[in-house]
């Protein structure tokens, strides 16, 4: 088995396992108690906090341990917004943040706050000047991930932090995808991370609140974690999280070079090996271990199933692999193809041979799925009427695009195909198909039973 | 070392350790993913949920795993209150609930809700009729612990659940202290618990929401845990929590009898061995492993320190052992002495010899602390004026009571001693001293620099 989904959760690092089992005997008692067992637990917790602070590049008393990265984000966003309530009720997020940030923004909106969503370019990156333009006098907080979890694009955090600092607005950086590689640079105000992303145990998140940042923890709190994360501390988990962070950091520089070469190989070779593929995400400013591509005329769920059968665990941002039937908000914000989407995220230590085997297996897996779906082998040609209607109502991704591709050759050049679809993914994938195929996407029109997407044949 | 603070946190059960290390290899992946590692994690999680449901006596889909017992309470109270917002904004809690419940109530009050606090008797128990009297047409939720964590008194949960059910009000039961012993009986609606109280790992709590209970999770959520507990699941912790719950349950009936005999021995012998002691909590309806007593003229922190040096880890509800300088809200609600308070909570497996050694060590430890504080060996006698003023301003528990005890014999029978104190514990401990000593507590009067407590000499 080759597990290529480290961006979801990394397998437990051996150092994490060792630290966890070693601290089960000393770390179970209440660190707030003054007796021997409590003092021992407190010592473990204090040492972990010091080590975490060193890895982040902050003070120990700025570190709050939470029960997950998601919880760190929820607590951090709510606390920072409440701390600056008098300044205003405006929040800025990038359009490609992790769902935990976007869910926090939705709750804030429901409570009467306003949210600005900074768009990204086709590579998934924000532009610092767009962030600057989004800042308002009543902006209480801005959020930007250090790198994107779905496509690996690294964000210009230091520049955006500078822009925010100049405006007096705190920046919260979701560093879930990068803290295992390196500290976050720049003058940020809050930072969040999640241990299981770097090989630590699940059940441990990190929230850093810089001194001087106004912060008012929301909901009930107690005396634990500076009154910012209530509930009994999971000390063995915390110890294991921090020990593994130090361990992966020690290997990070070397491993980053190695993984980057492996993902570069996938980036370059997949489009050679598989027809009709779009590799997405920034080619230069990217995480070492993540590469994402989308395959035309492919059902993402079926492809994941084929790859799983072949021994590869990957994930997908295609709509057919989510419970909501909408494509990944990241791919949507980038405006790139979402059908047949595959994210490969290599854990540290991935063997070169496994990547090579993936490249061997992938073309057959894609071809098999395409064959089952009746994907067009070559563009159909012929002469038909100047306008054609394709009724794809009730059909899910990638069928509307397949049906479009099958008929485009039947209208003359400058002829128009109208695709009727009620699948949310079509809104993203039909324009993306046009971009890939050199056809012209005209736009959409509402109809009684769905949406009509208009495409003009150019070539 | 003898660890007698199981009510704070129980040492990790061997079965928990075994289950935790065994599931680290299979439980680290995202259970929402469809590939092999995700399916394995999902199977572990599903099996744990089934087993937890069986131990609680509920359906598997009623079980939500949270990151702590505190978090379970916070989520449970907020969700149940929001789910019945249309019914009204009134919450009922007992006066002796765990701080997580009381903190939730405070937040609810700050948001405009109203909170009824049901008093307890001198043994720490609520009266179902008082609960019934507190119910209002706009009551959205009632909360009652299954047993008290500081004095071990078992609450009449089944009766109160019946009262609430009759009124159509959901009852949330905080079962943190009892779930390891037995399921909670009665027709409750929500239940919370904490794994580290029964020997499971820290980082795992349990929230049960019965089908049909209106519930609206507050704050940002995601698709995990029925949308009620966001963030990546800590599956190894959950597996260990449930495995240890089953293990302690298998030993519970036998161990309960054994521990009850040991705590009964402490209840009976401490007052024989140590003068001026009040054993608190219900003598009959009580947890097997908890016994709590308070020692007149004793500084709780100093006593804990002496006991720690002698190898005993216990806790205390005395004000001098807390960061807030207020005595335990439980002892306060019961109206019992708080100074020199000691809670002994025996973990399963406690050796009889350790309890015997505790009974050997305790009298010397108490005597040593009393000697250092200059506690009155015998009531002073003499004849003085009909009224005496004791200025204890700036002095902390137990000094005001010691000074009162030293002078009470100096006024004639029917004479009055006024104790001036700005220590919060005096409000509880001076009346409690009067009760223990057969003197008459008249009441308090505000003064410029603190409060005057008036005591009439009776004997």
């Amino acid at each position: 088995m080759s597990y290529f989904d480290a961006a979801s959760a990394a397998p437990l690092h051996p150092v994490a396992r060792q630290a966890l089992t070693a601290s089960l005997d000393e770390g179970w008692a209440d660190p707030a108690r003054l007796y021997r067992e409590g003092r021992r637990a407190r010592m473990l917790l204090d040492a972990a906090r010091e080590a975490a602070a060193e890895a982040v590049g902050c003070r120990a008393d700025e570190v709050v341990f939470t029960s997950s990265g998601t919880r760190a984000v929820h607590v951090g966003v709510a606390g920072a917004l409440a701390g600056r309530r008098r300044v205003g009720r405006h929040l800025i997020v990038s359009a490609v943040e992790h769902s935990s940030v976007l869910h926090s923004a939705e709750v804030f909106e429901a409570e009467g706050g306003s949210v600005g969503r900074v768009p990204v370019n086709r590579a998934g990156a924000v532009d610092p000047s767009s962030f600057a333009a989004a800042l308002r006098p009543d902006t209480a907080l801005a959020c930007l991930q250090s790198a994107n979890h779905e496509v690996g694009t690294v964000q210009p955090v230091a520049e955006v932090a500078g822009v925010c600092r100049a405006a007096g607005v705190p920046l919260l950086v979701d560093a879930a995808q990068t803290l295992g590689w390196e500290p976050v640079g720049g003058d940020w105000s809050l930072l969040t991370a999640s241990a299981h992303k770097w090989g630590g145990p699940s059940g441990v998140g990190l929230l850093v609140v810089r001194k001087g940042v106004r912060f008012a923890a929301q909901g009930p709190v107690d005396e634990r974690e500076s009154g910012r994360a209530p509930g009994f501390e999971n000390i063995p988990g915390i110890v294991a999280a921090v020990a593994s962070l130090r361990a992966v950091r020690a290997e990070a520089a070397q491993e980053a070079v190695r993984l980057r070469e492996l993902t570069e190989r996938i980036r370059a070779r997949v489009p050679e090996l598989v027809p009709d593929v779009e590799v997405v995400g920034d080619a230069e400013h990217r995480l070492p271990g993540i590469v994402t591509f989308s395959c035309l005329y492919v059902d993402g769920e079926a492809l994941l199933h084929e790859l799983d059968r072949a021994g590869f665990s990957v994930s997908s941002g295609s709509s057919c692999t989510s419970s909501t039937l909408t494509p990944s908000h990241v791919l949507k914000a980038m405006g790139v193809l979402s059908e047949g989407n595959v994210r490969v995220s290599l854990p540290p230590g991935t063997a070169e041979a496994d990547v090579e085997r993936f490249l061997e297996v992938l073309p057959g897996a894609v071809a098999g799925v395409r064959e089952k779906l009746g994907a067009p082998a070559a563009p159909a040609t012929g002469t038909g009427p100047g306008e054609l209607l394709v009724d794809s109502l009730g059909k899910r991704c990638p069928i509307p695009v397949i049906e479009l591709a099958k008929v485009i050759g039947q209208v003359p050049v400058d002829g128009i195909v109208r695709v009727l679809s009620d699948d949310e993914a079509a809104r993203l994938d039909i324009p993306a198909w046009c971009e890939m195929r050199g056809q012209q996407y005209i736009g959409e029109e509402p109809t009684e039973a769905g949406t009509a997407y208009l495409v003009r044949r150019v070539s």
Side-chain angles (χ1 to χ4, degrees), chain A residues 13 179-181 198-200 243-253 255 348:
Chain A
H13 193 284
L179 200 67
W181 294 109
W198 68 64
S244 54
L245 178 56
R246 289 164 67 105
V248 297
R249 280 286 188 83
E251 307 151 357
E255 193 61 16

Side-chain angles (χ1 to χ4, degrees), chain A residues 12 15-25 201 234-240:
Chain A
L12 197 68
V15 166
R17 169 185 275 273
Q18 199 176 12
L20 184 67
T21 51
S23 58
L24 288 173
D25 287 332
N234 174 5
I235 293 178
I238 290 169
V239 169

Side-chain angles (χ1 to χ4, degrees), chain A residues 8-304:
Chain A
S8 284
L12 197 68
H13 193 284
V15 166
R17 169 185 275 273
Q18 199 176 12
L20 184 67
T21 51
S23 58
L24 288 173
D25 287 332
E26 303 234 316
W28 55 269
D30 186 345
R33 300 290 180 188
L34 298 176
Y35 45 66
R36 191 172 309 202
E37 296 84 353
R39 296 194 304 270
R40 273 194 209 140
R42 166 64 57 190
M43 280 172 62
L44 287 177
L45 184 58
D46 287 349
R49 198 182 308 280
E50 289 285 347
E54 200 187 320
V56 169
C58 68
R59 292 166 44 152
D61 59 357
E62 295 172 336
V63 172
V64 176
F65 292 112
T66 66
S67 57
S68 68
T70 290
R71 183 87 188 128
V73 166
H74 293 173
V75 170
V77 171
L81 285 172
R84 283 174 46 92
R85 199 187 299 263
R86 285 185 199 166
V87 172
R89 302 269 288 152
H90 181 242
L91 167 68
I92 299 174
V93 299
S94 92
V96 295
E97 294 300 302
H98 185 262
S99 57
S100 56
V101 174
L102 298 181
H103 292 154
S104 295
E106 286 159 18
V107 166
F108 181 61
E109 255 174 342
E111 289 167 351
S114 63
V115 177
R117 291 172 176 84
V118 177
V120 295
N121 61 20
R122 213 176 150 79
V126 300
D127 181 341
S129 64
S130 306
F131 235 91
L135 289 164
R136 304 193 323 205
D138 64 339
T139 303
L141 176 69
C143 299
L144 179 63
Q145 62 195 190
S146 53
N148 186 267
H149 50 298
E150 289 193 30
V151 298
T153 299
V154 170
Q155 303 291 356
V157 166
E159 293 89 325
V160 169
V163 162
C164 290
R165 178 68 61 178
V169 172
L171 178 71
L172 182 150
V173 178
D174 168 14
Q177 293 296 335
T178 62
L179 200 67
W181 294 109
E182 58 188 4
V184 175
D187 197 6
W188 48 266
S189 295
L190 301 103
L191 180 145
T192 60
S194 174
H196 76 102
K197 304 284 190 192
W198 68 64
S202 45
V204 182
L206 205 65
L207 167 64
V208 179
V209 183
R210 292 276 200 201
K211 288 287 150 198
V213 173
R214 286 180 193 277
F215 194 91
Q218 296 302 286
V221 291
D222 56 24
E223 75 287 358
R224 300 183 190 273
E225 293 298 305
S226 327
R228 289 171 176 175
F232 197 81
E233 296 92 343
N234 174 5
I235 293 178
I238 290 169
V239 169
V242 176
S244 54
L245 178 56
R246 289 164 67 105
V248 297
R249 280 286 188 83
E251 307 151 357
Q254 204 174 345
E255 193 61 16
V257 172
R258 208 178 66 80
L259 289 191
R260 175 173 280 273
E261 195 281 317
L262 294 177
T263 50
E264 188 54 48
R265 205 180 295 192
I266 297 173
R267 287 186 74 89
R269 287 189 41 206
V270 164
E272 296 166 9
L273 295 166
V274 182
D276 299 324
V277 160
E278 183 175 17
V279 177
V280 298
D282 198 294
E284 287 302 313
H285 302 288
R286 63 187 187 83
L287 290 171
I290 296 187
V291 51
T292 303
F293 54 87
S294 300
C295 310
L296 267 183
Y297 319 136
V298 166
D299 173 336
E301 186 169 357
L303 180 55
L304 259 52

